[in-house]
Amino acid sequence: MTKIDADTACLTWIRTGDLDQVVRVFGGHPLVAEPETLDGLFSIAPEDLPDDATGVALVARHGDWAVLIEPFAFRGLSQTLLCEAAAKGEAYRVAWTVNRSTFVSYVRDGEIVASFDALDLEGARGRDWIDALPVSAADWDADWMAAAFAVAGHLSGIVIDDDWLADSHSLHWLRPMTVRRAPALRIDARMRSIAETDPRIARIIAEPTPSRLPEIILIAATMAVVTAGIEGPAVEEALALIANRGHSAEVATRLRALQDDCTARMWEAYESWPEETREDSPYPGHDTTYGRWRIKATAAEILILALTPGDNLADQALEIANRTGGTYLSEENGDIARHHALGSVAYFLATGENA
């Protein structure tokens, strides 16, 4: 396989019915271009850019597909941009840096299907999609670039060979996006599914505005309390205060005592567990006594956080949503899907981007 011998590069394959719009999304003008080869592209240095340009891309069109290659200042690294460019199509991006950090993503119909490090598939997002590809984990380990380009050819039918590399394509100078539409919340299949059965989630994803943050906090905190099984007057008072957007240092103090008690019981249960069968440390989970006590301590901590006034409600909601995931929610009652939806909206409101 022909390879691109460059220290840094970002290649993006995009299928869409409007390739001119793809160029615009990247910051170029579809009618303002000049012929150039790949060697010519990689001979351009940042100081060679026109005064009003911040990037450059070589664009090759192949029917409904286009390949965009950026030698530096990668705009294709933005997953928000990829989702916008492939709102009604597909996008596959492969990028690497001089220290061989690699970034691979696949987007379909505006949603991220997979995102991973080509040199380390552990923890990859979209592992089912990766496993269905015509390349194996061993192929990625043996030659990640060959595997990545093979996937590109499988998706697009475009073969990057010696002739392709020698051909002239369209060089576009990329200007700053002076007016850029703010991204919309990306709603995936899991979010749609839980919204069909939970009107609260449906309202939140239909109107993902800051006014929804208190509701996100309340639902997340309630899920944590239920899955952990903590109860008592302090817990009830805390949930009532959260529902009414109230705060109470006194209730938080009582909850901290509950958290400390649960933590002490966790260690007591851990120390009494047979050493040969217990974990290296008391990890949370519903399968061990010490794991369940740790979840209870986490739930109490979430209530304390929700009762503590903060400067940034969006950051607070995101933190609470993230910690709620540590209570090992149930898939059977839909809480895992609820948590995914709440976390997605909280991240969107905290960062202005999609997770």
Side-chain angles (χ1 to χ4, degrees), residues 41-61:
L41 173 72
F42 282 102
S43 70
I44 298 172
E47 56 267 25
D48 298 328
L49 295 175
D51 291 340
D52 60 342
T54 56
V56 61
L58 197 66
V59 180
R61 300 186 183 219

Side-chain angles (χ1 to χ4, degrees), residues 47 76 92 99 108 129 146 152 192 250 258 284 286-287 327 333:
E47 56 267 25
Y92 173 71
N99 60 2
R108 183 172 57 235
W129 180 83
R192 292 191 187 97
E250 186 271 333
L258 173 62
H286 297 289
D287 297 329
T327 61
N333 67 6

Side-chain angles (χ1 to χ4, degrees), residues 74 88 175 218 333:
F74 306 152
K88 296 181 180 179
R175 268 72 184 184
L218 175 61
N333 67 6

Side-chain angles (χ1 to χ4, degrees), residues 188-310:
D188 60 24
R190 275 194 295 172
M191 295 165 71
R192 292 191 187 97
S193 178
I194 193 63
E196 290 176 356
T197 59
D198 190 331
R200 302 169 305 168
I201 301 299
R203 289 192 298 268
I204 289 170
I205 66 175
E207 187 187 5
T209 63
S211 65
R212 296 295 184 186
L213 290 169
E215 191 173 3
I216 291 173
I217 292 172
L218 175 61
I219 296 174
T222 302
M223 289 195 303
V225 165
V226 171
T227 195
I230 60 172
E231 55 187 15
V235 173
E236 294 173 5
E237 291 175 41
L239 290 175
L241 283 165
I242 296 167
N244 291 291
R245 305 180 66 173
H247 303 286
S248 171
E250 186 271 333
V251 175
T253 298
R254 288 155 59 197
L255 288 169
R256 194 163 288 108
L258 173 62
Q259 179 188 6
D260 291 343
D261 180 64
C262 291
T263 300
R265 290 172 181 266
M266 173 196 73
W267 284 112
E268 180 181 343
Y270 179 74
E271 294 297 337
S272 66
W273 203 272
E275 187 173 356
E276 64 274 11
T277 60
R278 72 188 185 194
E279 298 164 310
D280 292 337
S281 62
Y283 292 109
H286 297 289
D287 297 329
T288 62
T289 303
Y290 55 80
R292 290 190 290 272
W293 280 115
R294 181 155 187 176
I295 287 176
K296 291 177 186 293
T298 299
E301 183 182 22
I302 289 168
L303 291 178
I304 294 168
L305 181 59
L307 289 176
T308 304

Side-chain angles (χ1 to χ4, degrees), residues 65-291:
W65 283 85
V67 185
L68 293 88
I69 306 178
E70 300 173 87
F72 51 80
F74 306 152
R75 298 192 181 184
L77 210 56
S78 167
Q79 292 187 328
T80 297
L81 182 147
L82 291 183
C83 290
E84 182 179 349
K88 296 181 180 179
E90 300 172 82
Y92 173 71
R93 181 254 287 134
V94 178
W96 64 91
T97 63
V98 67
N99 60 2
R100 281 302 185 260
S101 295
T102 63
F103 309 88
V104 182
S105 287
Y106 175 67
V107 171
R108 183 172 57 235
D109 294 332
E111 294 185 5
I112 300 170
V113 176
S115 184
F116 57 98
D117 179 349
L119 298 174
D120 183 7
L121 298 186
E122 292 298 324
R125 176 177 179 178
R127 191 57 192 257
D128 290 345
W129 180 83
I130 297 170
D131 291 341
L133 294 172
V135 295
S136 66
D139 294 326
W140 288 102
D141 288 339
D143 190 330
W144 73 266
M145 189 180 292
F149 278 35
V151 172
H154 167 71
L155 294 170
S156 68
I158 301 170
V159 178
I160 306 295
D161 56 17
D162 289 337
D163 290 338
W164 193 98
L165 296 179
D167 282 345
S168 289
H169 304 290
S170 298
L171 185 76
H172 293 265
W173 303 110
L174 307 181
R175 268 72 184 184
M177 304 296 290
T178 54
V179 178
R180 182 170 178 82
R181 176 174 57 84
L185 173 68
R186 185 170 57 252
I187 303 171
D188 60 24
R190 275 194 295 172
M191 295 165 71
R192 292 191 187 97
S193 178
I194 193 63
E196 290 176 356
T197 59
D198 190 331
R200 302 169 305 168
I201 301 299
R203 289 192 298 268
I204 289 170
I205 66 175
E207 187 187 5
T209 63
S211 65
R212 296 295 184 186
L213 290 169
E215 191 173 3
I216 291 173
I217 292 172
L218 175 61
I219 296 174
T222 302
M223 289 195 303
V225 165
V226 171
T227 195
I230 60 172
E231 55 187 15
V235 173
E236 294 173 5
E237 291 175 41
L239 290 175
L241 283 165
I242 296 167
N244 291 291
R245 305 180 66 173
H247 303 286
S248 171
E250 186 271 333
V251 175
T253 298
R254 288 155 59 197
L255 288 169
R256 194 163 288 108
L258 173 62
Q259 179 188 6
D260 291 343
D261 180 64
C262 291
T263 300
R265 290 172 181 266
M266 173 196 73
W267 284 112
E268 180 181 343
Y270 179 74
E271 294 297 337
S272 66
W273 203 272
E275 187 173 356
E276 64 274 11
T277 60
R278 72 188 185 194
E279 298 164 310
D280 292 337
S281 62
Y283 292 109
H286 297 289
D287 297 329
T288 62
T289 303
Y290 55 80

